[in-house]
Amino acid sequence: MNVILAQPRGFCAGVVRAIDIVELALEQYGAPVYVRHEIVHNHHVVESLKAKGAIFVEELDEVPVDAVTVFSAHGVARVVENAARQRQLRVLDATCPLVGKVHNQGRQYAAKGYQVILIGEAGHPEVIGILGQIPAPVVVVRNVDQVEDLPFPANTPMAYITQTTLSVDDTKAVVLALQQRYPGIVGPDTRDICYAVQNRQTALRILSQCVDLVLVVGAANSANTVTLRTIAAETGVPAYRVAEGAELDRQWFQNVETVGITAGASTPEALVDDVIAALGNLAPLTIKTLPGREEQVQFNLPTGLIARSR
Ligand code: SF4
């Protein structure tokens, strides 16, 4: 069996930064360090940080007063920031700077009097955080049908922003529908979909053209991972999302000569290796990696943490 790996795949700069923040907090402040929500959407990452002394909570009232507390990469609402101040928590904010940029854009549009539309997945933690950072009513739309249902007249001053982890093509269709209904609408086009998500989607489209089947490694609650599987399936090849090698089903690989593998932005490379090892139990493998875009992006740590030398 041939295995072809997409490039780039797996961890993005925002995920590396978020995990670094928890690990450095544990080193510099000692355990326990509290983390609100899964730091990134991957069970293996969470379990490995738990083993080092991180305690994961969903709400801040589970955190003792004065404790070191990390906000996850998805960002939080203002109300959460205020609650942390009231409880005198020592906060390290692992919100990805690219998510923070969307917060700022939304606040600026709202301050200028625009009705803000957020293209995103209602209920996703990033979307909840964005809504809670904008001090004005924001409407979430996910698809073209929901654009048609918007109640605002065509002459309403409108602006849109987007969740960072969407499909570029789906988002373009929603933006087009918004522009047709509201010709004066302003927004960032698809530039808010982050570089890592765009690069992984582009690499996957190239990969899909030269394989019989695609495996997307990552968690079911990772939005960008789920989007990758959908994109692969849209190209016409069978595509499966697996969290790890143990989830492979031998039946998928009948008459399959070449398997393509990619991984969501919150998936450690060790899980890709685990999937390759499981494939190796089915057949002898030849493995190659497609040439792809090199990512050099790095984000600064919050003040108060001292970076390790890499
Ligand atoms: Fe940040 Fe993009 Fe990574 Fe999300 S996928 S954490 S927006 S770099």
Side-chain angles (χ1 to χ4, degrees):
M1 188 185 287
N2 304 308
V3 172
I4 306 181
L5 301 170
Q7 179 66 33
R9 62 180 180 278
F11 277 3
C12 60
V15 164
V16 170
R17 174 179 182 268
I19 296 169
D20 277 355
I21 288 172
V22 180
E23 289 184 339
L24 289 168
L26 285 163
E27 282 172 24
Q28 290 171 30
Y29 297 98
V33 163
Y34 288 79
V35 184
R36 184 185 180 278
H37 193 66
E38 286 190 356
I39 184 74
V40 299
H41 282 156
N42 189 279
H43 177 68
H44 292 262
V45 171
V46 168
E47 289 304 314
S48 105
L49 292 172
K50 273 187 192 169
K52 294 175 183 172
I55 297 177
F56 288 82
V57 299
E58 281 308 311
E59 296 305 335
L60 291 187
D61 55 13
E62 300 167 58
V63 181
V65 169
D66 199 32
V68 175
T69 307
V70 180
F71 292 158
S72 78
H74 314 96
V76 298
R78 281 267 161 95
V79 65
V80 175
E81 294 172 340
N82 293 339
R85 264 191 291 277
Q86 275 168 9
R87 289 179 74 75
Q88 298 173 330
L89 304 179
R90 287 179 284 165
V91 169
L92 295 165
D93 190 353
T95 301
C96 178
L98 300 182
V99 176
K101 188 176 128 206
V102 178
H103 294 173
N104 285 334
Q105 273 174 338
R107 282 194 292 261
Q108 283 169 14
Y109 284 138
K112 289 179 182 164
Y114 290 109
Q115 168 60 54
V116 179
I117 304 293
L118 169 57
I119 305 172
E121 232 18 286
H124 186 278
E126 181 184 329
V127 167
I128 293 169
I130 295 169
L131 294 178
Q133 285 284 341
I134 302 173
V138 175
V139 177
V140 181
V141 299
R142 180 69 190 95
N143 53 40
V144 171
D145 290 346
Q146 290 175 351
V147 172
E148 284 164 16
D149 293 340
L150 288 171
F152 312 106
N155 61 355
T156 312
M158 303 282 282
Y160 68 87
I161 51 178
T162 84
Q163 189 178 341
T164 56
T165 49
L166 303 174
S167 152
V168 176
D169 288 352
D170 288 357
T171 307
K172 276 187 184 150
V174 177
V175 169
L176 188 63
L178 283 167
Q179 287 167 335
Q180 280 166 350
R181 261 206 83 183
Y182 303 102
I185 195 167
V186 295
D189 192 23
T190 52
R191 284 188 299 276
D192 278 353
I193 297 177
C194 100
Y195 79 96
V197 170
Q198 301 211 26
N199 289 348
R200 279 150 191 70
Q201 291 178 10
T202 303
L204 173 60
R205 285 185 193 286
I206 296 165
L207 177 76
S208 300
Q209 288 166 12
C210 47
V211 298
D212 304 315
L213 177 145
V214 167
L215 296 174
V216 180
V217 188
N221 63 342
S222 159
N224 77 86
T225 300
V226 172
T227 301
L228 286 174
R229 197 215 66 84
T230 306
I231 288 172
E234 283 169 359
T235 67
V237 286
Y240 301 96
R241 181 203 57 78
V242 290
E244 57 191 357
E247 293 185 0
L248 295 188
D249 183 338
R250 182 179 286 271
Q251 306 282 340
W252 299 341
F253 303 97
Q254 283 176 3
N255 305 319
V256 166
E257 281 180 17
T258 306
V259 176
I261 300 182
T262 187
S266 50
T267 307
E269 186 65 9
L271 293 176
V272 173
D273 294 341
D274 185 60
V275 169
I276 294 171
L279 281 174
N281 291 334
L282 302 180
L285 304 179
T286 62
I287 303 170
K288 73 170 188 178
T289 302
L290 281 185
R293 187 179 283 247
E294 289 254 338
E295 293 179 339
Q296 308 285 356
V297 177
Q298 282 189 350
F299 296 128
N300 292 334
L301 291 166
T303 44
L305 282 182
I306 304 154
R308 295 186 202 103
S309 50
R310 287 185 184 275

